């Protein structure tokens, strides 16, 4: 049976899923697949990751053609879902469709996760040639791929010596055996030979410096070893070349903060704004990252960059009033009352009685007004609402002192300040 016969037989028994945000692109691919011989009732289309998942769960999909970016995620996210559902389907064909030449390099680097890629604009002939080649490689894998599959089988049964033999034989069958080296790394990792595993992943990257699996393998080792600086450099590289997803972006932001790489936060904010959907946890992470980066720049006398980060929060995280309050608090602390006041308008009208707004308004008032009596009245109103904030208590006590209050009158507030915030030394002069 030649390759064309293999392709025709494959298309007769396998359902096709086409995923693209653009309806016109979906329909063009649908017509192309129909013209190639796929039965119409066996071709399914979706524009969003969630729609595609529903189809995957209800149909026996054998071929997926997905655009690089789709609603709710990326083609890589979709491929991960279907591989998890069909882990033993060796003939499953996952094809990435892209108009971006640089994305084809990424597709190659995602070896095994992407079986092939189609570059737009495409023709019926170019897709046919691609599919014939991809399907044939699946049905009749090369010796290199067959040896890797053999090694993976031994890995799954715990026969590590046989797995090592098969994977080393695979390395000898390919000029750039990054994938085989990844599985050798996995083998050493399972043996708890961490240095050897790291060496295999690193060697794989010498053949393909953005090989996805090898990068992830190194990242996991560095995290296990608490080597956060090294882990950050790896995950930063993954973020640069592979489509962002919320889980990975949260990992990156967390590591950027932990390793003090605040200069990178703006680029992660831009990735965040490119996401079609942003979960509450993701918004929380990016807001925290932006705030810490802004505060860091204030402490290092770079107010302009700090305000850029704070503006990002005001634009994208406004529903979390805790961030607006934190911004105003830190700006007041740095005697930037005029800048702080601008953020007061970022509170939604529904939050005007919320403690975050009341605290923020009070702190700005302490910067603008010399009327200590008014500051005391406003501070006591907040205090009597059972709202406790370090800066507010300090400002209240300071105004009392300036207004001639006796020590015994201020004592309860001072005691509460010290009891509630023992790690922060009061500054009441």
């Amino acid at each position: 049976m030649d390759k064309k016969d293999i392709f025709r037989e494959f298309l007769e028994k396998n359902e096709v899923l086409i995923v693209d945000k653009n309806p016109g692109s979906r329909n063009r691919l649908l017509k192309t697949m129909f013209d190639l011989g796929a039965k119409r009732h066996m071709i399914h289309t979706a524009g969003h990751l969630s729609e595609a998942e529903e189809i995957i769960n209800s149909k026996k999909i054998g071929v997926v053609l997905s655009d690089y970016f789709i609603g709710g995620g990326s083609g890589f996210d979709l491929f991960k879902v279907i591989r998890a559902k069909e882990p033993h389907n060796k003939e499953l064909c996952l094809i990435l469709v892209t108009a971006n030449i640089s994305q084809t390099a990424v597709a190659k680097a995602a070896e095994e996760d992407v079986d092939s890629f189609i570059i737009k604009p495409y023709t019926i002939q170019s897709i046919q040639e691609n599919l014939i080649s991809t399907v044939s490689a699946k049905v009749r894998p090369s010796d290199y791929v067959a040896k890797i599959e053999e090694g993976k089988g031994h890995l799954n049964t715990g026969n590590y010596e046989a797995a090592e033999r098969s994977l080393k034989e695979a390395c000898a069958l390919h000029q750039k055996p990054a994938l085989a080296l990844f599985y050798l790394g996995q083998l050493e990792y399972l043996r708890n030979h961490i240095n050897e595993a790291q060496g295999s992943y690193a060697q794989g990257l010498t053949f393909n410096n953005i090989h996805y699996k090898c990068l992830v393998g190194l990242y996991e080792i560095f995290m296990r070893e608490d080597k956060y600086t090294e882990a950050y450099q790896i995950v930063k590289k993954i973020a640069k070349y592979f489509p962002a997803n919320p889980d990975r972006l949260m990992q990156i932001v967390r590591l950027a903060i932990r390793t003090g790489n605040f200069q990178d936060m703006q680029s992660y904010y831009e990735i965040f704004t490119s996401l079609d959907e942003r979960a509450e946890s993701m918004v929380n992470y990016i807001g925290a990252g932006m705030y810490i980066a802004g505060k860091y720049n204030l402490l290092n006398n770079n107010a302009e960059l700090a305000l850029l980060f704070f503006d990002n929060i005001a634009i994208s995280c406004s529903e979390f009033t805790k961030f607006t309050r934190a911004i105003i608090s830190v700006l007041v602390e740095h005697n930037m009352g005029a800048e702080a006041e601008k953020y007061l308008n970022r509170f939604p009208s529904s939050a005007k009685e919320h403690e975050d707004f009341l605290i923020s308004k009070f702190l700005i008032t302490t910067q603008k007004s010399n009327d200590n009596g008014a500051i005391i009245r406003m501070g006591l109103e907040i205090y009597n609402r059972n709202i406790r904030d370090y800066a507010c208590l300090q400002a209240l006590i300071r105004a009392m002192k300036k207004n001639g209050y006796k020590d015994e009158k201020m004592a309860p507030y001072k005691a509460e300040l010290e009891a509630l915030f023992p790690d922060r030394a009061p500054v009441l002069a």
Side-chain angles (χ1 to χ4, degrees):
M1 185 183 294
D2 66 17
K3 289 184 178 181
K4 287 186 178 179
D5 291 332
I6 293 172
F7 171 64
R8 279 193 292 269
E9 184 177 299
F10 185 86
L11 213 54
E12 284 178 5
K13 63 182 182 181
N14 282 283
E15 299 192 56
V16 178
L17 173 60
I18 296 167
V19 188
D20 196 307
K21 287 192 293 187
N22 187 300
S25 297
R26 287 201 304 273
N27 290 332
R28 281 193 294 276
L29 275 173
L30 187 153
K31 183 178 185 306
T32 301
M33 293 304 298
F34 179 72
D35 291 341
L36 288 176
K39 296 180 177 65
R40 178 62 187 86
H41 71 278
M42 294 177 70
I43 308 174
H44 312 281
T45 63
H48 195 282
L49 180 61
S50 60
E51 293 176 57
E53 287 177 347
E54 288 180 13
I55 294 169
I56 288 167
N57 289 329
S58 61
K59 305 292 182 181
K60 185 69 174 177
I61 301 297
V63 182
V64 181
L65 292 93
S66 174
D67 200 59
Y68 192 87
F69 291 116
I70 59 178
S74 71
F76 289 99
D77 297 321
L78 173 61
F79 295 165
K80 183 178 179 181
V81 170
I82 193 166
R83 284 208 189 277
K85 183 177 181 293
E86 303 281 349
H88 305 298
N89 185 353
K90 304 302 181 187
E91 296 186 2
L92 179 66
C93 289
L94 305 180
I95 300 171
L96 200 69
V97 183
T98 175
N100 189 318
I101 297 300
S102 66
Q103 291 169 0
T104 65
V106 172
K108 290 178 182 178
E111 190 178 9
E112 197 177 51
D113 291 327
V114 177
D115 295 311
S116 186
F117 51 89
I118 293 170
I119 302 174
K120 298 177 183 177
Y122 49 76
T123 63
I124 290 180
Q125 183 181 356
S126 67
I127 290 184
Q128 183 176 27
E129 289 173 356
N130 188 303
L131 283 169
I132 288 173
S133 176
T134 304
V135 168
S136 297
K138 283 288 188 173
V139 175
R140 295 177 179 174
S142 67
D143 291 342
Y144 172 67
V145 171
K147 275 295 173 187
I148 289 176
E149 288 300 321
E150 183 179 283
K152 287 165 63 178
H154 292 314
L155 269 180
N156 291 334
T157 59
N159 189 344
Y160 293 164
E161 289 184 4
E164 184 176 8
R165 283 195 300 273
S166 296
L167 293 169
K168 284 185 174 178
E169 287 174 18
C171 286
L173 293 170
H174 200 286
Q175 288 184 328
K176 297 182 177 181
L179 186 61
L181 285 162
F182 163 74
Y183 282 109
L184 274 173
Q186 291 288 94
L187 167 63
E188 298 299 352
Y189 190 87
L190 290 170
R191 285 171 163 170
N192 207 31
H193 298 166
I194 302 304
N195 289 337
E196 289 81 357
Q198 184 176 334
S200 291
Y201 297 143
Q203 188 181 355
L205 290 170
T206 64
F207 294 112
N208 185 334
N209 69 344
I210 59 169
H211 192 269
Y212 181 72
K213 287 181 178 291
C214 288
L215 286 172
V216 171
L218 275 181
Y219 169 74
E220 290 175 350
I221 284 178
F222 289 142
M223 288 299 292
R224 168 178 165 163
E225 299 291 298
D226 295 336
K227 295 179 178 178
Y228 299 116
T229 300
E230 293 87 343
Y232 177 70
Q233 293 306 317
I234 295 295
V235 79
K236 181 179 176 181
K237 193 171 188 178
I238 293 172
K240 179 179 178 181
Y241 291 105
F242 293 89
N245 62 58
D247 289 340
R248 188 184 306 134
L249 190 54
M250 286 191 284
Q251 291 174 3
I252 298 169
V253 170
R254 185 167 60 244
L255 273 176
I257 293 169
R258 187 164 199 162
T259 56
N261 284 282
F262 306 116
Q263 72 280 0
D264 296 331
M265 205 61 69
Q266 183 63 23
S267 63
Y268 303 140
Y269 175 73
E270 289 166 6
I271 293 173
F272 165 77
T273 57
S274 73
L275 296 174
D276 289 330
E277 297 170 5
R278 304 166 200 167
E280 184 176 306
S281 57
M282 179 70 258
V283 179
N284 247 317
Y285 262 95
I286 204 71
M290 290 287 107
Y291 172 72
I292 294 170
K295 187 174 180 180
Y296 170 82
N297 279 282
L298 271 185
L299 291 169
N300 286 276
N301 301 313
N302 193 344
E304 184 178 350
L305 188 53
L307 291 172
L308 171 64
F309 289 129
F310 294 157
D311 285 344
N312 289 342
I313 295 173
I315 292 167
S316 300
C317 311
S318 58
E319 67 267 37
F320 293 100
T321 57
K322 64 182 180 182
F323 291 130
T324 309
R325 167 183 166 181
I327 291 169
I328 290 171
S329 294
V330 76
L331 287 174
V332 168
E333 185 181 333
H334 284 77
N335 297 312
M336 298 174 66
E339 290 82 357
E341 190 168 11
K342 295 174 185 176
Y343 290 97
L344 201 61
N345 296 323
R346 297 291 188 170
F347 281 99
S349 56
S350 59
K352 293 302 170 68
E353 291 300 313
H354 191 276
E355 71 173 67
D356 289 334
F357 177 80
L358 295 173
I359 289 170
S360 299
K361 187 176 180 181
F362 174 66
L363 293 176
I364 290 170
T365 300
T366 65
Q367 284 259 307
K368 289 174 59 180
S369 175
N370 292 319
D371 185 346
N372 290 308
I375 291 172
I376 292 168
R377 286 192 296 274
M378 196 172 179
L380 286 174
E381 183 182 343
I382 291 173
Y383 182 87
N384 291 331
R385 289 190 181 209
N386 205 30
I387 296 171
R388 299 293 182 266
D389 175 81
Y390 176 78
C392 283
L393 273 172
Q394 277 214 129
L396 173 60
I397 297 166
R398 188 181 291 115
M400 286 178 166
K401 187 175 182 179
K402 288 180 180 179
N403 229 32
Y405 277 59
K406 294 182 178 180
D407 287 344
E408 58 266 25
K409 183 75 171 178
M410 295 186 290
Y413 304 103
K414 286 183 177 180
E416 190 162 10
L417 178 69
E418 292 170 0
L420 290 174
F421 307 100
D423 297 329
R424 302 180 68 175
V427 182
L428 302 172

